[in-house]
Amino acid sequence: MTKTQYHQKHAVKRQKKASKSPNEGSTEEVLLADVKSLLERGPETAPFAPRTLHEKFSEIDVTISELSSTGDGIGVVPGSDHVFVVPFTVPGDHVKAKIVNHFPDAHYTLTDFVEVIKPGPKRNDSLIKCPYFARCGGCQIQMLPYDAQLHHKKTIVEKAYRNFSSLTPETIPAVGATIESPLQYGYRTKLTPHFDGPPGSLSRAARRDPSSKKVFETVPPIGFQMKGMRKTIDIEDCPIGTDAVREGMKNERERVTREIAKFTKGATLLLRENTSRAPKKNELAGREVATNDAEINPSSVEDDQEDTAGRTLLDGQLQNFTDYVEEKTCVTDQRAISTEYVDDFVFKNTAGAFFQNNNSILSPFLAYIRKHIKPFTPAINNPLEYLIDAYCGSGLFTVALSSLFFSSMGIDIAEASVIAARANATANNIKNASFMTADASTLFQQVTYPPDKTAVIIDPPRKGCDNAFLQQLLRFGPQKVIYVSCNVHTQARDVGILVEGVGDYKYEIESLQGFDFFPQTGHVEGVAILSRRTSSPPLTGHPMSK
């Protein structure tokens, strides 16, 4: 099926989807805000003539005005009140694009990128390191210099708070310059390529009659989705993955090719980097230097060997440090345990579970949070003594920030995450942390920390926090809130609610900061630091607040 045939087949479904209100913080809602803003800033001219939309799948020339917060370029054809959305473009590009789908009521049209007619001043195609760029939907801005990527991500945070927080400009502080990733390529510690089932395997007949199940006649494409299509393209290598993950991808592709006859449907492959640290022998003292990973024993690394935990041992993945040797492997079993080090902390987690995918930025990321969660000067003795880590996962913040507090508590809805967090606290010899399982909407019912001496850190999923959680947080009224998010648009919405507050409890934004967790893409991680604006007693009694 060609791309044009695909878009023709799915045009009606897209129109039905567009007729519904977009989900808060979704790509559609973010794009709509950028479209509206671009049209409002357009030149004042005579009223537009009635719109005549271009024929679908025809090609047009358009000059890109700006990058949207979705990572796609947007531009307006002169004399039109209609915005064209063109992927893989940068401001100033004059490009040829193919019409895919019109959304006349929303005043925009989705297109496919065809070619650059005249590049914009910031476009540098020599920076592109992936042969699949402009087809794979994973990266959007490899052709943009890194300083320009960082500036763009600062504007994403700025626009998120302007468009979605419902706050007045004077209540929103200046957004800090985006903190860069130490690695711009080779940073992703987890990739999940996939392949689709045999042609016809999802048909009604195949589902009704097991005996008619389709089989693979050839090896299907193994990779990621094509931009704008639910179609997998074959990808042999991904340069944003770490060396261990890239080698694991090569090995898994070979395994699937060998074993394709065993598969009757599509599958998603897991590639998760695993790190082992082995103590280095002190040549002068003739002894091993102790490390905080007593389970690791030095061992030789053989080419392409796989152990029982689903790890692929890789040739050449040894790194020497002052006190230890680090060995990188790739875990491919969802249920196996993977290990990551952040500074001197060790974190073990089920390989298929969530953990931040850019290890290289975690050290400056945590340093920033440490600096802002409990600032101290000789003149001001910070009163915060307790930490609540909501959505704690496997305990990254609870463990890494525990030394700043008298007591820390991690809370998560998933029992498996809490089990992993407890194990990580033990592995790091953390004595002042506890963990419990609770739904986010009721988690403060079991908290006995005094709000005036408590900081709460939250790192919710992309959809953000639900209103029940936010209202409960406001009633608890901690002295400080640190909101970490992979979706700055839902973060802005939620922060707006906290700033508006409930009764006497309101918050002010101390700082807004973006972190580039995913270079070459349109994604930015946001950190908002909020402090309570009143020292009144909490709205509900807490035993330790008196």
Side-chain angles (χ1 to χ4, degrees):
M1 181 185 294
T2 66
K3 206 165 187 180
T4 297
Q5 290 171 330
Y6 175 92
H7 288 312
Q8 287 173 333
K9 179 180 178 181
H10 292 272
V12 174
K13 185 182 294 186
R14 278 205 184 94
Q15 290 292 348
K16 287 182 178 179
K17 182 179 180 181
S19 66
K20 301 177 181 178
S21 297
N23 295 327
E24 288 187 335
S26 66
T27 299
E28 292 80 6
E29 187 182 43
V30 172
L31 179 60
L32 281 171
D34 285 343
V35 166
K36 181 180 178 182
S37 176
L38 180 60
L39 290 174
E40 288 175 347
R41 298 196 314 274
E44 294 185 7
T45 61
F48 293 115
R51 277 173 291 158
T52 302
L53 298 177
H54 296 77
E55 185 178 349
K56 282 187 180 181
F57 312 116
S58 62
E59 295 183 350
I60 62 160
D61 293 355
V62 59
T63 298
I64 303 303
S65 301
E66 65 181 68
L67 268 180
S68 76
S69 294
T70 65
D72 296 327
I74 53 178
V76 181
V77 173
S80 168
D81 64 344
H82 206 72
V83 172
F84 293 89
V85 182
V86 190
F88 310 116
T89 57
V90 301
D93 278 351
H94 185 61
V95 300
K96 187 181 295 295
K98 180 182 289 187
I99 303 295
V100 171
N101 217 8
H102 294 299
F103 300 94
D105 293 339
H107 296 272
Y108 74 89
T109 290
L110 296 179
T111 72
D112 279 339
F113 169 77
V114 177
E115 64 177 351
V116 175
I117 299 171
K118 183 180 179 181
K122 291 184 178 179
R123 186 181 191 96
N124 184 352
D125 285 346
S126 70
L127 298 173
I128 298 171
K129 294 188 177 181
C130 179
Y132 308 100
F133 183 71
R135 289 185 293 148
C136 173
C139 295
Q140 297 85 44
I141 50 176
Q142 287 190 21
M143 68 299 201
L144 198 61
Y146 192 54
D147 59 345
Q149 292 188 30
L150 296 174
H151 177 73
H152 169 61
K153 295 183 182 191
K154 178 184 176 183
T155 68
I156 293 176
V157 181
E158 292 170 338
K159 289 192 294 182
Y161 278 81
R162 185 165 63 241
N163 295 333
F164 297 100
S165 70
S166 301
L167 298 174
T168 56
E170 59 270 18
T171 61
I172 304 172
V175 176
T178 308
I179 294 179
E180 67 182 69
S181 171
L183 298 175
Q184 287 91 57
Y185 282 91
Y187 64 85
R188 277 200 70 115
T189 55
K190 180 184 178 183
L191 288 174
T192 52
H194 62 272
F195 59 92
D196 301 322
S201 60
L202 297 179
S203 67
R204 292 181 180 177
R207 292 197 297 267
R208 284 196 303 262
D209 182 7
S211 64
S212 67
K213 279 189 175 180
K214 304 292 183 178
V215 296
F216 287 102
E217 297 180 359
T218 59
V219 178
I222 305 169
F224 305 105
Q225 282 190 357
M226 182 178 288
K227 173 68 174 177
M229 295 179 66
R230 295 185 63 83
K231 177 182 178 182
T232 303
I233 57 175
D234 195 60
I235 293 180
E236 296 183 359
D237 186 27
C238 180
I240 65 172
T242 65
D243 288 345
V245 165
R246 293 171 74 178
E247 186 70 16
M249 186 171 182
K250 174 185 173 183
N251 294 339
E252 280 295 274
R253 285 175 56 87
E254 291 174 352
R255 179 183 68 82
V256 171
T257 299
R258 291 192 307 269
E259 300 177 0
I260 192 63
K262 298 179 181 179
F263 292 91
T264 58
K265 56 184 180 180
T268 297
L269 309 176
L270 172 68
L271 308 169
R272 166 70 82 179
E273 182 176 274
N274 176 76
T275 303
S276 300
R277 283 183 179 177
K280 183 186 289 186
K281 292 212 173 186
N282 186 319
E283 295 179 0
L284 295 177
R287 61 183 175 82
E288 290 183 347
V289 179
T291 72
N292 60 358
D293 190 0
E295 297 178 4
I296 304 300
N297 292 314
S299 59
S300 61
V301 180
E302 300 179 16
D303 296 358
D304 300 331
Q305 298 295 310
E306 189 168 299
D307 67 17
T308 56
R311 298 180 180 89
T312 302
L313 302 183
L314 309 171
D315 183 30
Q317 299 298 325
L318 290 177
Q319 290 182 287
N320 282 298
F321 296 89
T322 304
D323 295 334
Y324 55 84
V325 175
E326 214 169 59
E327 176 189 316
K328 302 288 188 179
T329 59
C330 184
V331 177
T332 57
D333 182 349
Q334 295 271 354
R335 294 164 295 183
I337 300 299
S338 62
T339 303
E340 295 222 25
Y341 287 84
V342 182
D343 297 326
D344 289 328
F345 296 105
V346 59
F347 294 93
K348 293 181 180 291
N349 204 3
T350 305
F354 172 78
F355 196 84
Q356 295 289 358
N357 293 334
N358 182 349
N359 184 280
S360 76
I361 200 173
L362 290 182
S363 183
F365 173 65
L366 289 172
Y368 177 89
I369 292 177
R370 285 191 192 98
K371 178 181 177 181
H372 288 81
I373 197 171
K374 196 176 178 179
F376 175 83
T377 64
I380 303 174
N381 188 5
N382 194 296
L384 294 177
E385 296 181 8
Y386 304 93
L387 173 68
I388 296 173
D389 180 8
Y391 308 92
C392 73
S394 57
L396 174 64
F397 296 122
T398 319
V399 169
L401 304 177
S402 62
S403 63
L404 300 177
F405 297 92
F406 175 74
S407 180
S408 301
M409 178 183 293
I411 307 172
D412 201 278
I413 191 173
E415 178 67 27
S417 294
V418 169
I419 292 172
R422 288 191 183 117
N424 286 328
T426 300
N428 289 281
N429 198 30
I430 304 299
K431 306 294 187 182
N432 64 338
S434 61
F435 299 89
M436 68 177 182
T437 304
D439 186 270
S441 62
T442 60
L443 65 85
F444 289 103
Q445 293 178 3
Q446 302 178 56
V447 173
T448 57
Y449 290 165
D452 287 349
K453 298 182 179 182
T454 299
V456 173
I457 187 165
I458 53 180
D459 185 7
R462 289 190 63 81
K463 66 179 181 180
C465 303
D466 62 30
N467 191 61
F469 172 83
L470 293 172
Q471 296 306 315
Q472 186 186 180
L473 177 62
L474 283 166
R475 288 193 294 272
F476 177 70
Q479 186 66 34
K480 182 159 285 191
V481 175
I482 297 85
Y483 193 138
V484 178
S485 179
C486 60
N487 185 340
V488 293
H489 307 95
T490 53
Q491 181 195 59
R493 175 202 65 199
D494 295 347
V495 167
I497 293 172
L498 296 176
V499 171
E500 291 175 358
V502 170
D504 290 334
Y505 274 82
K506 303 177 190 297
Y507 286 82
E508 63 181 354
I509 307 172
E510 289 185 10
S511 63
L512 295 173
Q513 181 67 58
F515 286 80
D516 191 18
F517 271 61
F518 299 103
Q520 319 308 331
T521 79
H523 300 290
V524 59
E525 192 90 358
V527 178
I529 309 293
L530 295 89
S531 58
R532 205 177 66 200
R533 287 194 290 174
T534 176
S535 58
S536 302
L539 299 182
T540 56
H542 295 274
M544 296 177 65
S545 65
K546 299 178 181 179

